Amino acid sequence: MTEKILNILKNNKEFTSGEKIAKSLNITRAAVWKNIVKLKSMGYNITSVTNKGYLLIEDSDIFNNIEIEKEINTFKLGKKIYYFDEINSTNEYAKKIINESIEEGTLIVANSQTNGKGRLDRQWISNKGDGIFLSLILRPDIELFKITQITLLAGICICNTIKNITGLDVKIKWPNDIIIDNKKVCGILTEINAQIDRVSYVILGIGINVNNEKFNVALEDKATSIFLQLGKNINRQKVIAHFLKEFENNYFKYIKEKNFATFLDEYKKLCINLGKECKIVSSKKEIVGKVIDISPLGEIIFKTKDEILKIVSGEVSLRNIDGSYI
Ligand code: BT5
């Protein structure tokens, strides 16, 4: 009902009386009022004037499930949305609700996170109103060792989404950092549950810096946002909808073929590490070498002075030779 009232207000540039809305929806004026209060609490700027009714003052930056749903144009992904103005972590929420009846494509979106997570217990800064914080529940029928490929595929789709919407030059730092102008604009946290060697479900967590005007001191040299690169605000729901469409097309193709080979060339073109001298940093040691290729499984092929190694994404970070971020 709330959404129907919102639509009526959106379609009227003049005041609409409570009576008229009540009649057209066959509800009481008190029910109209209750829903108007709800819409106001969701952030809609609605003016109420006695004897005239209600008028919606258009505001482009309303971010909630109604606005997100309106933009989404997919078959399966994002058909069920859990939206929060604030949550600890969308990935944690996904883990809490997941069971057999939760459908593939269920989307959790938040306007802010109090405990946004990166990999290896790192933190993801998730300020209110600036970014996209989402988790997508997937049930890919693939073997466990292929799981990195889902992260790589999501990386390609995020690059294409930002590029298509903004024209910016977006790249990937293996495995999960999306980069503009050598700074991180987006991170991906893929968490899984598996039985023996088959994946039961995947939580694809994505954080994108969209309208951030600045970052804290710790991040200002290595983080950026679409706003900082483009000089204007971008509608977050459009970015989500575009990503879901892009990812849906590619994800189901990948699941059908069960093979990342189709996407490997595209990934390599986007990957900034290929051909570069760098350091692989893990909790145990640092190895210096050169990234000479990416395998069809999504591993880095790394040439040191003594040997050629295949590195999986799990426990390592790539750094410049001097230890800096990129
Ligand atoms: C990531 O980890 O890049 C994965 C980030 C995933 C965040 C999403 S938001 C929705 C979903 N729910 C969650 O709780 N998480 C996911 P990692 O590669 O470990 O990078 C983390 C590092 O990036 C931090 O240690 C900081 O140095 C840096 N960082 C933190 N917040 C950032 C931000 N907003 N923008 C750019 N860099 C950031």
PDB file of all heavy atoms in Angstrom, residues 24 41 56 80 108 158 194 222 225 313:
ATOM      1  N   SER A  24      -9.283   6.163  -4.305  1.00  0.00           N
ATOM      2  CA  SER A  24      -8.718   5.399  -5.419  1.00  0.00           C
ATOM      3  C   SER A  24      -8.123   4.069  -4.949  1.00  0.00           C
ATOM      4  O   SER A  24      -8.041   3.119  -5.724  1.00  0.00           O
ATOM      5  CB  SER A  24      -7.683   6.227  -6.187  1.00  0.00           C
ATOM      6  OG  SER A  24      -6.542   6.382  -5.388  1.00  0.00           O
ATOM      7  N   SER A  41       9.175   8.700   7.110  1.00  0.00           N
ATOM      8  CA  SER A  41      10.240   8.093   7.922  1.00  0.00           C
ATOM      9  C   SER A  41      11.268   7.381   7.033  1.00  0.00           C
ATOM     10  O   SER A  41      12.397   7.147   7.428  1.00  0.00           O
ATOM     11  CB  SER A  41       9.660   7.113   8.942  1.00  0.00           C
ATOM     12  OG  SER A  41       9.283   5.928   8.278  1.00  0.00           O
ATOM     13  N   LEU A  56       4.640  15.388  -3.045  1.00  0.00           N
ATOM     14  CA  LEU A  56       5.991  14.823  -2.917  1.00  0.00           C
ATOM     15  C   LEU A  56       6.991  15.773  -3.552  1.00  0.00           C
ATOM     16  O   LEU A  56       6.866  16.140  -4.723  1.00  0.00           O
ATOM     17  CB  LEU A  56       6.053  13.460  -3.628  1.00  0.00           C
ATOM     18  CG  LEU A  56       7.422  12.803  -3.694  1.00  0.00           C
ATOM     19  CD1 LEU A  56       7.851  12.297  -2.318  1.00  0.00           C
ATOM     20  CD2 LEU A  56       7.416  11.646  -4.684  1.00  0.00           C
ATOM     21  N   LYS A  80      14.253 -10.842  -4.491  1.00  0.00           N
ATOM     22  CA  LYS A  80      13.864 -10.676  -3.080  1.00  0.00           C
ATOM     23  C   LYS A  80      14.946  -9.822  -2.422  1.00  0.00           C
ATOM     24  O   LYS A  80      16.132 -10.155  -2.496  1.00  0.00           O
ATOM     25  CB  LYS A  80      13.787 -12.067  -2.427  1.00  0.00           C
ATOM     26  CG  LYS A  80      13.707 -12.052  -0.933  1.00  0.00           C
ATOM     27  CD  LYS A  80      12.285 -11.818  -0.459  1.00  0.00           C
ATOM     28  CE  LYS A  80      12.262 -11.596   1.042  1.00  0.00           C
ATOM     29  NZ  LYS A  80      11.097 -10.896   1.511  1.00  0.00           N
ATOM     30  N   ILE A 108      20.789  -8.636  -0.085  1.00  0.00           N
ATOM     31  CA  ILE A 108      20.750  -7.845   1.154  1.00  0.00           C
ATOM     32  C   ILE A 108      21.486  -6.556   0.851  1.00  0.00           C
ATOM     33  O   ILE A 108      22.613  -6.580   0.359  1.00  0.00           O
ATOM     34  CB  ILE A 108      21.417  -8.604   2.319  1.00  0.00           C
ATOM     35  CG1 ILE A 108      20.661  -9.906   2.586  1.00  0.00           C
ATOM     36  CG2 ILE A 108      21.406  -7.776   3.604  1.00  0.00           C
ATOM     37  CD1 ILE A 108      21.326 -11.115   2.180  1.00  0.00           C
ATOM     38  N   ILE A 158      31.610  -5.666 -12.130  1.00  0.00           N
ATOM     39  CA  ILE A 158      31.627  -4.354 -11.456  1.00  0.00           C
ATOM     40  C   ILE A 158      32.367  -3.340 -12.336  1.00  0.00           C
ATOM     41  O   ILE A 158      31.918  -2.209 -12.516  1.00  0.00           O
ATOM     42  CB  ILE A 158      32.274  -4.455 -10.059  1.00  0.00           C
ATOM     43  CG1 ILE A 158      31.392  -5.304  -9.152  1.00  0.00           C
ATOM     44  CG2 ILE A 158      32.464  -3.067  -9.447  1.00  0.00           C
ATOM     45  CD1 ILE A 158      32.071  -5.781  -7.894  1.00  0.00           C
ATOM     46  N   ALA A 194      30.447 -25.073   2.166  1.00  0.00           N
ATOM     47  CA  ALA A 194      30.601 -26.182   1.214  1.00  0.00           C
ATOM     48  C   ALA A 194      30.490 -27.518   1.927  1.00  0.00           C
ATOM     49  O   ALA A 194      30.735 -27.612   3.134  1.00  0.00           O
ATOM     50  CB  ALA A 194      31.952 -26.070   0.533  1.00  0.00           C
ATOM     51  N   LYS A 222      44.747   5.581  -0.492  1.00  0.00           N
ATOM     52  CA  LYS A 222      44.505   4.354  -1.253  1.00  0.00           C
ATOM     53  C   LYS A 222      43.048   4.094  -1.623  1.00  0.00           C
ATOM     54  O   LYS A 222      42.750   3.116  -2.302  1.00  0.00           O
ATOM     55  CB  LYS A 222      45.112   3.150  -0.542  1.00  0.00           C
ATOM     56  CG  LYS A 222      44.678   2.946   0.873  1.00  0.00           C
ATOM     57  CD  LYS A 222      45.401   1.699   1.419  1.00  0.00           C
ATOM     58  CE  LYS A 222      44.979   1.398   2.834  1.00  0.00           C
ATOM     59  NZ  LYS A 222      45.644   0.234   3.376  1.00  0.00           N
ATOM     60  N   SER A 225      36.374   7.240  -4.711  1.00  0.00           N
ATOM     61  CA  SER A 225      34.949   6.968  -4.945  1.00  0.00           C
ATOM     62  C   SER A 225      34.598   7.415  -6.365  1.00  0.00           C
ATOM     63  O   SER A 225      35.364   8.167  -6.986  1.00  0.00           O
ATOM     64  CB  SER A 225      34.090   7.754  -3.947  1.00  0.00           C
ATOM     65  OG  SER A 225      34.155   9.136  -4.251  1.00  0.00           O
ATOM     66  N   SER A 313      43.893 -17.152  -4.251  1.00  0.00           N
ATOM     67  CA  SER A 313      43.617 -15.838  -3.660  1.00  0.00           C
ATOM     68  C   SER A 313      43.549 -15.835  -2.137  1.00  0.00           C
ATOM     69  O   SER A 313      43.865 -14.842  -1.511  1.00  0.00           O
ATOM     70  CB  SER A 313      42.307 -15.301  -4.217  1.00  0.00           C
ATOM     71  OG  SER A 313      41.250 -16.097  -3.757  1.00  0.00           O
TER      72      SER A 313
END
